[in-house]
Amino acid sequence: MNSQRFELVTGPLRSMRRAIAWWSAGMAALVAGTVIFWPIFKGSTGITDALNHLPPTVLTAFGLQDFGSPAGYLRANLYEIVVPILFVATAVTLVGGQTASDEAAGRLELYLAQPVRREAVYLGRAIAALIGLAVVTLALLVVQIVMDAVVDLPIDLGFLLPTVLLCAFVGVFYGSIAFAVACARPRPSVVMAVGIELAVLSYLIVAMFSFSTVLQPWSQLSPWSWAFAGDPLQTATDLWRYGALVVPSIALVLIGLRAVAHRDIAAG
Amino acid sequence: MDPVLQVEGLVKHYGAVEAVRGIDLSIEPKEIYGFLGPNGAGKSTTIRCLVGLLRPTAGTIRVFGLDAAKDGVAIRRRIAYLPGELRLPERLTAAQFVSSIGRLRGGEGAARCQELAGRLQLDLDRPMRELSSGNRRKVALVLAFLANAELMILDEPTSGLDPLMQREFIVLLREARDAGATVFLSSHVLSEVQRVADRVAVLGEGAVVASGTMADFRGRARSHVEVFFADAPPTAELAALPGLVDPQVTGQHFTATLSGPIGPLLSLLAQHRVASMLVEEPDLEEAFLDIYGGGKP
């Protein structure tokens, strides 16, 4: 029975390995391509001075504060928007591809006709996507650490690690939404759209609401705020921020599994 | 002996569409049961309910005495399923895919897999994306026969196979039955069902419109009769025979279609000088077309 459970995870991982490799390579290239320009900006006051002419709310909204510092440079170029969105895209495409896309194409038919519960098949695919995301996270972290050393970008690992983890957890959160949608309604385009668009919306809530004193408190409802409002590249991250992303993710997966157990499997 | 598969009042709706409208089936052990019907008749929907992929709107399905709604895993451990619409993982080789499914079933015999692949002339080492539709079908057939299942549920199993492989499939099917398997064979290839099935149900618009043994169907099917008389045909006597329709006389050549027993015709012919005679084997296809066309065979 253990080999059966193992297969439910390793089978999807085998079919995802190219996607995982491409996402890892893409993330690594993005980080390397960004960090390599740090020596040009290091100590340069020109851009910092220019940015300082912008209103503080604009700087905060787009993560541009302290652009000339190592943390500010990484935040503005990578960890404020780009990397979290890419993690969301990675998670949503991996989990959506293994669930909604495979089911809608009829590729799950033979698996679900075996002596396994359909919840187990879906959970196996969610775990495989999670492992895939972990590999991408690790690739990004390793390249970030190596490149930091190469170009002499001093960033404390105690801040870098939580930042990268929070980005990955944001991916897990929206991947879980995509998973729940796929479990309820296996339409690949809907799954991808809901997962990614909700992530963009939650970022926009944080960014746009910061311009209004009336709306600003409501930005705390956004998962983006739960993850990044504490400025994890410069400040110690509170544990609740991880929990705020992980606990709903687990709940979403459980809701999804309950949904898939009680519906028809789509024909190919 | 308890039936292997018992379906009572199976109904499946997709919104307002009634795909299956109250099907009853009972399949005995070691039986090959043909499930016939044109495209869209509800065959695949019924089968997907049997395998647990669809939730019936109403009705009960019992397999090996177990309730399909509650004991799906236990049932699927004892069945092999070949879907009609076959979609396989493109990047895996056939061998990788067969191994993957085998691990989900708790392990299958590698030697048997090689034997089946050899008999079906399937190269297990090629990626699925390079396989033709016929070869993909062979992959699914390897999986179905590899499982040594007590009940095989096969939906259009020979679709895309060449005649040689269709014949090999029939041989494999008979071997499986001889080894104790029960087979639920859905097809619209009537000749295939005709060759192997013990009993048949014909589905039309989501309901069983006819069922019975193959002998029943042959008895109800029409035969083409062709007689060359040595003298002038006894036209009036032939026209009065029960079951003989559409009689045509051209000189000493007589043709007609016969439904029902042939005895009265033979008795009549015995009283006349017949040069030669041809009675075609009753064709299930005609019986099927009659049933589906709404006529009574």
Side-chain angles (χ1 to χ4, degrees):
Chain A
M1 195 55 71
N2 282 337
S3 71
Q4 188 187 59
R5 287 181 191 151
F6 189 67
E7 180 60 30
L8 288 173
V9 176
T10 55
L13 266 178
R14 268 195 301 275
S15 64
M16 271 196 279
R17 61 183 189 273
R18 282 181 195 222
I20 294 169
W22 278 110
W23 278 112
S24 299
M27 288 284 204
L30 172 74
V31 168
T34 303
V35 173
I36 203 160
F37 290 106
W38 163 248
I40 297 170
F41 293 94
K42 182 169 61 176
S44 164
T45 55
I47 292 178
T48 307
D49 290 344
L51 290 172
N52 283 342
H53 285 95
L54 295 170
T57 49
V58 174
L59 292 176
T60 307
F62 298 104
L64 297 172
Q65 63 273 35
D66 301 326
F67 189 82
S69 72
Y73 181 77
L74 290 180
R75 185 200 310 111
N77 287 299
L78 293 173
Y79 296 107
E80 178 73 11
I81 307 169
V82 180
V83 169
I85 286 289
L86 286 177
F87 268 114
V88 170
T90 307
V92 169
T93 53
L94 289 182
V95 82
Q98 287 298 311
T99 53
S101 296
D102 271 3
E103 185 182 334
R107 287 189 292 268
L108 284 189
E109 189 99 347
L110 273 169
Y111 289 102
L112 295 173
Q114 305 310 320
V116 286
R117 294 170 66 87
R118 58 172 73 165
E119 300 96 303
V121 172
Y122 265 75
L123 182 61
R125 283 162 185 257
I127 292 170
L130 189 64
I131 292 170
L133 194 70
V135 171
V136 175
T137 307
L138 192 63
L140 179 141
L141 190 63
V142 167
V143 171
Q144 179 74 67
I145 292 169
V146 169
M147 289 302 296
D148 290 350
V150 169
V151 302
D152 191 21
L153 189 153
I155 190 83
D156 190 333
L157 189 60
F159 293 132
L160 178 65
L161 187 60
T163 302
V164 172
L165 274 180
L166 284 168
C167 290
F169 281 20
V170 166
V172 169
F173 179 80
Y174 289 99
S176 302
I177 291 176
F179 179 78
V181 174
C183 286
R185 203 172 178 79
R187 300 235 174 121
S189 55
V190 173
V191 169
M192 305 289 175
V194 168
I196 293 172
E197 286 171 7
L198 278 180
V200 172
L201 183 67
S202 74
Y203 164 71
L204 289 176
I205 286 173
V206 170
M208 297 301 145
F209 283 17
S210 64
F211 292 109
S212 161
T213 52
V214 176
L215 292 175
Q216 204 277 333
W218 293 99
S219 69
Q220 292 174 28
L221 293 175
S222 165
W224 215 271
S225 170
W226 308 340
F228 303 117
D231 195 3
L233 275 169
Q234 297 195 98
T235 314
T237 300
D238 297 321
L239 281 179
W240 70 264
R241 294 189 184 278
Y242 301 107
L245 295 167
V246 170
V247 172
S249 299
I250 293 170
L252 284 162
V253 168
L254 294 177
I255 290 167
L257 293 176
R258 188 167 171 74
V260 80
H262 291 94
R263 68 162 170 83
D264 291 340
I265 297 300
Chain B
M1 202 176 284
D2 291 337
V4 169
L5 173 64
Q6 189 146 32
V7 178
E8 290 176 354
L10 179 66
V11 173
K12 180 61 188 174
H13 294 171
Y14 294 109
V17 178
E18 296 179 328
V20 174
R21 300 180 293 124
I23 286 180
D24 297 315
L25 296 170
S26 181
I27 301 176
E28 303 301 321
K30 299 187 182 182
E31 185 174 34
I32 298 182
Y33 194 91
F35 198 50
L36 290 165
N39 295 332
K43 300 191 301 294
S44 293
T45 299
T46 303
I47 284 177
R48 296 183 84 240
C49 287
L50 300 184
V51 182
L53 297 169
L54 298 180
R55 305 294 184 209
T57 307
T60 58
I61 298 169
R62 297 191 76 78
V63 187
F64 310 115
L66 301 169
D67 185 348
K70 295 175 186 164
D71 304 310
V73 173
I75 290 170
R76 289 196 293 276
R77 191 165 289 125
R78 298 167 69 181
I79 68 173
Y81 167 57
L82 189 154
E85 290 290 328
L86 199 54
R87 301 280 189 276
L88 303 175
E90 298 282 312
R91 293 192 190 283
L92 298 185
T93 64
Q96 287 170 332
F97 182 58
V98 170
S99 295
S100 175
I101 295 292
R103 281 190 285 274
L104 292 181
R105 295 192 71 90
E108 311 285 6
R112 172 71 171 150
C113 177
Q114 289 296 335
E115 182 216 327
L116 286 167
R119 289 177 66 176
L120 292 167
Q121 297 175 15
L122 171 67
D123 181 356
L124 287 166
D125 296 323
R126 289 177 63 192
M128 234 88 76
R129 65 174 177 275
E130 293 177 7
L131 298 181
S132 66
S133 62
N135 278 322
R136 289 174 189 221
R137 184 66 52 178
K138 290 178 190 175
V139 175
L141 284 172
V142 166
L143 281 173
F145 286 105
L146 190 58
N148 287 325
E150 293 168 62
L151 171 62
M152 302 179 75
I153 298 178
L154 310 175
D155 192 1
E156 307 289 354
T158 59
S159 173
L161 292 187
D162 61 49
L164 208 62
M165 287 301 109
Q166 287 182 19
R167 199 163 62 185
E168 188 60 33
F169 164 74
I170 298 290
V171 173
L172 284 166
L173 203 61
R174 286 181 174 145
E175 286 176 4
R177 194 256 298 273
D178 293 345
T182 305
V183 181
F184 186 83
L185 175 63
S186 169
S187 178
H188 63 258
V189 181
L190 302 162
S191 57
E192 172 180 284
V193 175
Q194 204 170 354
R195 286 168 68 187
V196 292
D198 303 305
R199 286 196 300 146
V200 173
V202 180
L203 209 61
E205 296 178 354
V208 174
V209 291
S211 63
T213 63
M214 288 305 301
D216 289 339
F217 271 79
R218 286 202 179 90
R220 291 153 68 181
R222 293 179 297 176
S223 307
H224 289 288
V225 177
E226 193 171 0
V227 184
F228 286 91
F229 287 92
D231 307 312
T235 312
E237 291 171 76
L238 286 166
L241 271 180
L244 207 59
V245 295
D246 197 20
Q248 304 280 332
V249 177
T250 310
Q252 290 158 297
H253 182 212
F254 171 81
T255 61
T257 302
L258 176 70
S259 58
I262 197 169
L265 173 65
L266 292 177
S267 298
L268 174 63
L269 295 179
Q271 298 165 25
H272 298 270
R273 291 179 61 214
V274 173
S276 67
M277 176 181 175
L278 178 67
V279 181
E280 286 179 6
E281 173 79 1
D283 192 339
L284 184 62
E285 184 163 350
E286 291 207 358
F288 168 76
L289 290 173
D290 279 342
I291 293 164
Y292 189 63
K296 292 283 179 189

